[in-house]
Amino acid sequence: MARASESWSSPLGFVLAAAGSAVGLGNLWGFAYRAFQGGGGAFVVLYLVIVLVVCLPVLVAEMVLGRSTGHAPLIAPVTAGGRRWAPLGLLFLAAAIGILAFYAVLMGWTGRTLLHALLVGLPADMAASESFFALISSSGGGAVLGLLVSLALTGAVVAAGVRGGIERLSRWGMPALFLLLLGLLIWAAFLPGAGAGYHQFLLRWDPAKLLDPTTIRNAFTQAFFSIGTGIGAILAYAAYLNRRSALAIEAVSVVGMDTAVGLMAGCVTFPLVASFGLGEVVSGSTVGTLFIALPTGLASLGMAGRLVAVLFFGLAYIAAITSSVSLLEVPVSSLIDGLGWRRREAVWSCVGLVGVLGLPPALNTAALEVMDALFGGVLLILGGLLVALLLSWQAPARFLADLQGCATPPGLRRALLLSLRWISVPAIAVGLGVSVLDLAKMWLG
Ligand code: TRP
């Protein structure tokens, strides 16, 4: 089979696209609500440790798997590890499709909240906000429409190709997003409750949470989901990369940008929540919280609040679409590479399939939460574990050789391999075990 025929226009194009994939609704919405659940500081510390010691080497491994084989996620594991690894390719596809199905529903909610803030205004109080949320999330028609529009936009970008679609979107989307977020950050710093908000986010320290299984599961899930490693999305992007780009440095930039955006977003949402006294609502948190809490709080600020709502949800939508394209690229590139389909055919068939699978989460928020926990949690972490095993135990020579071609100092290469083997693999295995037990207890017990 031929190596990928498309490519990025430059290493920067790849880094922006990979950062676009990483920075998404997970940073803006998942990070904040999981941090509330995990008692603030304890969650943040756990999250940062997992990102740096566990996920960063896995991200490099996933990049190596894509770049060194030049193949799509369905095929790359077989090329690197032989036939036995074929199930990993299928796992990548199943997880990417499953995540995209509920992610597109969340995008739909975001888009509808944006349009509502823009055209109609904000809900005046909590009751109005809850009924607005019921309207966008579960009243059938609306949520399905949001899902389909978001998928259609995602499909249009992916159909335009790697360079002409995905890279072009990230090149303006990422800087725009940073600027908007910076503006909001400064604005939030002057809110009356800002200090209390930061305190709750970063400084509230509850050591018992460090051993709480739900916090551990949330920290692992959030780390893998936010960086977007474990299901072949970055693998697919890296397959379009040339030999010389410096993978380790690129991985560090992606992780750095992703973590910065997560922390910045927390420094916007926590002051908001504190200053509007919404702590109660958010700590009993579910997926819908920010969609309820933010617009209501902002409504009390009149026109300025409405403007901020438009900026925040606009920014969230940009972040979401640069992420959803990477999820769609997993099955699309696999159909192109594995079955020789044309890009357009592959895109619209996958969009059709995901549109159908997105109906349950669009019609029922409980289904959405289950899919989030299973595809965005368990399967994603399992994928990360298998990627780490493949590159550190099954094919370590490929890992070292590929990094050698791109100016990574030998000491760093060995250090990455060793931490992949002896830290990432056992830590992910523990994280996976804790997650499965925690979910089993929650659902069965
Ligand atoms: N990282 C994105 C977010 O935080 C979502 C995402 C994009 C993702 N690609 C992924 C999650 C691959 C898991 C795997 O919103």
Side-chain angles (χ1 to χ4, degrees), residues 11 43 61 65 91-92 125 129 178 228 233 246 322 375 385 394 426 436 438:
F43 170 85
L65 190 53
L91 171 73
F92 285 158
D125 53 33
S129 191
F178 262 105
T322 60
F375 292 103
L385 178 61
Q394 174 83 43
V436 170
D438 187 50

Side-chain angles (χ1 to χ4, degrees), residues 21-27 99 103 224-229 231 233 323 326-327 380:
S21 156
V23 172
L25 295 176
N27 303 60
I99 293 177
Y103 201 80
F224 276 91
F225 193 89
S226 184
I227 291 178
T229 186
I231 55 143
S323 296
S326 77
L327 291 163
L380 179 64

Side-chain angles (χ1 to χ4, degrees), residues 400 408-415:
L400 292 174
T408 317
L412 180 60
R413 267 184 279 143
R414 296 239 27 114

